[in-house]
Amino acid sequence: MDTTFGDLLDGAWTHLGGATMHAHPQLGGDITAMAKDACRSLTARLARCAEDFARADDIAQPIHEASRLLTRLGGHTSAAAAAHPLALHLRAASTSWGAAADMLATHFTRRGDAPRSDWAAVISDEQVRDGLLSEVADHALALVAVMDRSGMTRDLDTQTACSLLRSSALRCTSRTGDGASLRAVPLNEPPWPPQPVPQEAQTPHELSAGVIDGSDALRALCHRPQEFSPRQWQRTALAASVITGIAAKSLTQLTRRCYELNPHRQQALGKALQQATDVVQQANAEWKGVRQAWHGQAAAGPLSASVREQHLDQTAVRLGRLLYDNPTWTPARQDRAPLKAPAAIAPGTADMVPMTRAVLHAFEGLAVVAERDRQDVRHVLRVDTGQPGRGRLLAAYEQLGSPKTRASLALSEAILLAAPAELRDELWQDIRLLELRRGEPLDGAASERAASLRRLKALVTGAGDEHSRLDLSAASRMGIVSLPSPSSPPPPRRQGGRLR
C-alpha cells in the first residue's frame, strides 16, 4: 500500500508519545543537549511546512525563531546521550516531518511555482492548508510539553522558545481545517507499467480497485513530460471510446436494476444514474469523433504500447469484466460475452457501489487525459499547418472540452445514495478528493460547485431523503478545468487513508 502524508504524521505522533514517556527532569546535561538539538531540527521542519506549503508566514515566523533559540546547546555530547530514547524519539519525529515535507514537495516544481500532479490542487486548497497548519501547531504544542517534562526549560533560551511555540497564533490554529484530505496525499512518483490482469475471476471490489489505480496512474502521467505521435493519439482515442462505451452500458444496466428494485415510485438513485448515463454517452460520442478524425491521418505500422496505453487497456478490461458475463473478458473477439443481467451485477442497492465508483474514477481520469491531449494536439497543429484533416481534428478535440462535471456529480450522488450508512463517510472522502483534484471551476461556478458539494455531504447522513436531490442543471454549465500550465501562479498566500 502506498505511503501517504497521514502515515508520516502517525509516525511523528508515535515518536512524540515515546519522547513524552522518556522525558523527566533528572536527565543529564549531555542528554538534554542532544534532545535540544533534536527539538531544533523538528521545529525547523515544522516551520518549513507552514511556510512552503501553507504560505503562512505568521505561523512559520515564531517557529523559526524558536528553532534558532534552540541551537544554543549546553553540556557535552556522547554516544550514550545520542542513543538515549528521548533523543532518538525526537530525532525520529523530526525525520517523519522532514519526509512529510519532501512528500508534499514532489507535487510542485523545484521553485514551487507550478504543479507536478493534480494533488497540488489538494495541497493548495484553503481548508487543506488550514489542516496542515493545525498539524504543525499541534506538534509544536506537544513538543513544548516534552521540553517542559524533560527539564530543558531551565535555561532562558528554551523558555523563550517554548513561549513562542505557545503563541496565540499557534494555539488558535490548532484543530482546524481539512485534515482528512491532507492525510490522503501520496508521494508523487512516476507510474510503473501495470501488472498483468489476473486470468482468474476477481470480485467487483477487486476490479473496482484496479480501475481506480489505473485511473490514478493515467492522471499522474498527464502531468509528466511526454511526446506522443499521431498513432498514439489515435490509439488513446480508441481506448477511451471503448472505456466510455463500457461505462455507459454499465450505467444503463444499473439504472434498469434500480427501477427493478423500486418499480412503483420515483427514486433519486435512478435519476442520478440516468443523468450520469446521458453525459457518459456524450463523452463516448466525442471520443469516437476524435478516433474518426484521425482515420487515415496516422501512418500505419507497429506501435509499442506506452505506459499510458497499458493503463488504458487494463482499465477497459477491468470495467468490461464488471459488465460482461465472462470473468476473463477482454475486447478481443474470442473473449466476447453477453452483458450480465442487471440482477447479477447488483443483487441489492449496495452492490451498485463498486461499479459506480469504478465508472466515476475512470470518467474523471479520462477527463484529465482529454484535456492533456487537447492541449498537445492543438499545440502541434498550430505549428504543423499542413497536417491533412487539420480542421476536422481541431474540431473533434474541441468537442472533448464540453462540460462534464454534471456526470461526476451525478455519479457521486448515486454512490452515496446506494452505499450502506457505515461506508458513506469513507466514500464521501474519496469523492471530496476527486473534487479537489479537479482544481478550481471555471466561469464563476465556484459557488454552484460549493452548493453541490454541501448537498453531497448532506447525503452522508441523510441519503434517504428523495425530495432534496442535487440541482444538476446548474452543474451542467460547469466546464472541465484545464490542467495548469508551467506558468501557473503558486498557491494563494494565507490570509491571517486512499480508499481501496
Side-chain angles (χ1 to χ4, degrees), residues 5-168:
F5 191 87
D7 296 327
L8 297 172
L9 286 184
D10 290 342
W13 277 121
T14 297
H15 288 295
L16 277 178
T20 302
M21 291 177 58
H22 292 282
H24 56 83
Q26 286 76 42
L27 295 172
D30 56 343
I31 295 174
T32 300
M34 292 300 298
K36 203 175 188 185
D37 187 58
C39 292
R40 174 202 56 77
S41 176
L42 177 55
T43 50
R45 287 168 174 175
L46 291 173
R48 175 197 172 191
C49 280
E51 187 172 53
D52 291 356
F53 304 108
R55 303 295 194 263
D57 294 342
D58 56 332
I59 301 299
Q61 191 276 330
I63 304 176
H64 269 307
E65 181 62 19
S67 184
R68 184 187 67 79
L69 290 167
L70 291 170
T71 59
R72 300 178 184 178
L73 304 179
H76 63 280
T77 59
S78 66
H84 190 274
L86 175 61
L88 288 176
H89 280 298
L90 287 172
R91 283 201 300 272
S94 174
T95 298
S96 292
W97 267 99
D102 290 343
M103 177 179 283
L104 296 183
T106 64
H107 296 280
F108 298 91
T109 58
R110 181 168 297 181
R111 293 181 299 167
D113 60 354
R116 294 182 60 219
S117 86
D118 55 14
W119 284 95
V122 179
I123 299 166
S124 303
D125 178 77
E126 182 177 0
Q127 290 185 338
V128 177
R129 288 187 287 121
D130 286 345
L132 175 59
L133 292 177
S134 176
E135 289 290 349
V136 167
D138 285 347
H139 279 77
L141 294 171
L143 181 61
V144 170
V146 172
M147 288 192 284
D148 281 341
R149 283 176 59 92
S150 66
M152 289 186 215
T153 52
R154 284 191 287 262
D155 71 85
L156 183 59
D157 282 344
T158 307
Q159 291 174 17
T160 305
C162 289
S163 296
L164 288 166
L165 296 176
R166 290 193 193 100
S167 66
S168 59

Side-chain angles (χ1 to χ4, degrees), residues 80-260:
H84 190 274
L86 175 61
L88 288 176
H89 280 298
L90 287 172
R91 283 201 300 272
S94 174
T95 298
S96 292
W97 267 99
D102 290 343
M103 177 179 283
L104 296 183
T106 64
H107 296 280
F108 298 91
T109 58
R110 181 168 297 181
R111 293 181 299 167
D113 60 354
R116 294 182 60 219
S117 86
D118 55 14
W119 284 95
V122 179
I123 299 166
S124 303
D125 178 77
E126 182 177 0
Q127 290 185 338
V128 177
R129 288 187 287 121
D130 286 345
L132 175 59
L133 292 177
S134 176
E135 289 290 349
V136 167
D138 285 347
H139 279 77
L141 294 171
L143 181 61
V144 170
V146 172
M147 288 192 284
D148 281 341
R149 283 176 59 92
S150 66
M152 289 186 215
T153 52
R154 284 191 287 262
D155 71 85
L156 183 59
D157 282 344
T158 307
Q159 291 174 17
T160 305
C162 289
S163 296
L164 288 166
L165 296 176
R166 290 193 193 100
S167 66
S168 59
L170 270 73
R171 290 200 310 272
C172 292
T173 297
S174 185
R175 294 177 297 282
T176 62
D178 182 357
S181 297
L182 172 70
R183 290 180 60 84
V185 176
L187 177 70
N188 181 25
E189 55 185 345
W192 292 92
Q195 294 296 314
V197 179
Q199 291 306 303
E200 65 272 10
Q202 291 184 287
T203 69
H205 287 283
E206 289 171 335
L207 290 168
S208 178
V211 171
I212 292 169
D213 287 342
S215 299
D216 281 344
L218 289 170
R219 297 171 75 120
L221 287 166
C222 285
H223 286 82
R224 294 184 176 273
Q226 299 175 86
E227 291 186 7
F228 291 114
S229 66
R231 279 291 307 284
Q232 288 168 319
W233 280 317
Q234 183 184 40
R235 180 66 178 75
T236 295
L238 171 62
S241 64
V242 171
I243 291 169
T244 50
I246 294 172
K249 291 175 183 176
S250 299
L251 294 177
T252 298
Q253 294 296 84
L254 289 177
T255 305
R256 289 172 178 166
R257 182 55 178 162
C258 183
Y259 289 118
E260 287 176 3

Side-chain angles (χ1 to χ4, degrees), residues 273-295:
L273 289 168
Q274 186 58 61
Q275 289 266 17
T277 304
D278 293 343
V279 185
V280 174
Q281 287 175 337
Q282 173 191 340
N284 178 242
E286 291 169 2
W287 278 112
K288 285 181 177 178
V290 172
R291 188 182 71 187
Q292 292 164 1
W294 278 115
H295 184 69

Side-chain angles (χ1 to χ4, degrees), residues 9 12 18 39 97 164 169 215 246 319 329 353 365 377 396 403 425 428 464 467 481:
L9 286 184
C39 292
W97 267 99
L164 288 166
S215 299
I246 294 172
L319 276 177
W329 180 91
V353 172
V377 171
D425 283 332
W428 158 249
H467 302 290
V481 178

